[in-house]
Amino acid sequence: MMQQIYPAPAHDFRYELNKDFQFAAAHYVPHDEAGACRNLHGHTYFANITVAGDELNDSGFLVNFQLIKSLIHNRFDHTILNNDALFSEDTSERFPTTEVVARIIWEVVQKELDDTPNKPKCLQVYLRETPTSYVVYRPKKGDFL
Ligand SMILES: Nc1nc2c(c(=O)[nH]1)N=C([C@H](O)[C@H](O)COP(=O)(O)OP(=O)(O)OP(=O)(O)O)CN2
Ligand SMILES: [Zn+2]
């Protein structure tokens, strides 16, 4: 399916994995400057999640590829993002723009990784909203526990 070259975050961890997946979702951006995006419309989002770490778990995984996909796909696929409690119309920090959706994906994934024994780090979320538009979210050091 996706098999494209993604930008690579710099790091010196021993292992790095990447998981591609897609999900279909509708959204609108509740702001006057959003133009046509103020209207409810849908996308097939393509995501690439980068996870890195020095230690593997008892399965020999950094983290199961399927866990990364299911965390996001099960929550957002065939939904209206604006209806999810992770988003809000009260603050632009929680409007479901591509930038914010990418950051929220990072927050969901990293929260799960923080609960694993080998504690890998999500270093990058690449999120493509349309054939011509995508965002890359990279956390800063201080964003990790
Ligand atoms: N910085 C952002 N700009 C825009 C966002 C966004 O989330 N962050 N979102 C939109 C719209 O929601 C739209 O879905 C995507 O916009 P756009 O790239 O303009 O989509 P097109 O397919 O129409 O692009 P063309 O390259 O002109 O075909 C708008 N902006
Ligand atoms: Zn859109």
Side-chain angles (χ1 to χ4, degrees):
M1 55 181 229
M2 280 148 269
Q3 296 182 349
Q4 85 171 70
I5 305 294
Y6 298 105
H11 67 80
D12 66 351
F13 290 109
R14 291 189 185 97
Y15 301 98
E16 174 188 314
L17 69 76
N18 284 263
K19 179 61 181 172
D20 286 327
F21 59 91
Q22 63 190 65
F23 58 96
H27 77 148
Y28 59 92
V29 178
H31 193 276
D32 287 343
E33 288 174 22
C37 300
R38 286 202 63 155
N39 303 321
L40 183 66
H41 60 282
H43 299 287
T44 299
Y45 290 87
F46 290 82
N48 170 268
I49 310 294
T50 305
V51 174
D54 287 326
E55 308 299 333
L56 304 182
N57 65 19
D58 290 347
S59 309
F61 297 162
L62 258 185
V63 61
N64 192 319
F65 289 125
Q66 285 304 318
L67 175 67
I68 300 294
K69 175 183 173 182
S70 63
L71 279 172
I72 306 305
H73 191 272
N74 292 356
R75 181 158 192 154
F76 293 148
D77 188 50
H78 287 79
T79 68
I80 299 172
L81 297 177
N82 301 67
N83 292 345
D84 191 296
L86 291 169
F87 299 101
S88 166
E89 303 200 359
D90 297 337
T91 165
S92 58
E93 285 296 299
R94 298 257 161 205
F95 291 172
T97 63
T98 324
E99 292 89 333
V100 172
V101 178
R103 192 194 76 239
I104 297 272
I105 289 174
W106 178 82
E107 291 171 359
V108 169
V109 169
Q110 189 56 52
K111 187 163 182 276
E112 187 77 15
L113 297 178
D114 287 339
D115 285 339
T116 65
N118 56 319
K119 297 200 172 1
K121 308 292 181 213
C122 181
L123 298 184
Q124 178 172 286
V125 173
Y126 172 104
L127 186 66
R128 177 174 289 284
E129 189 175 271
T130 76
T132 58
S133 307
Y134 68 89
V135 160
V136 178
Y137 179 80
R138 294 195 186 106
K140 291 187 172 289
K141 279 186 188 146
D143 296 333
F144 294 101
L145 288 182

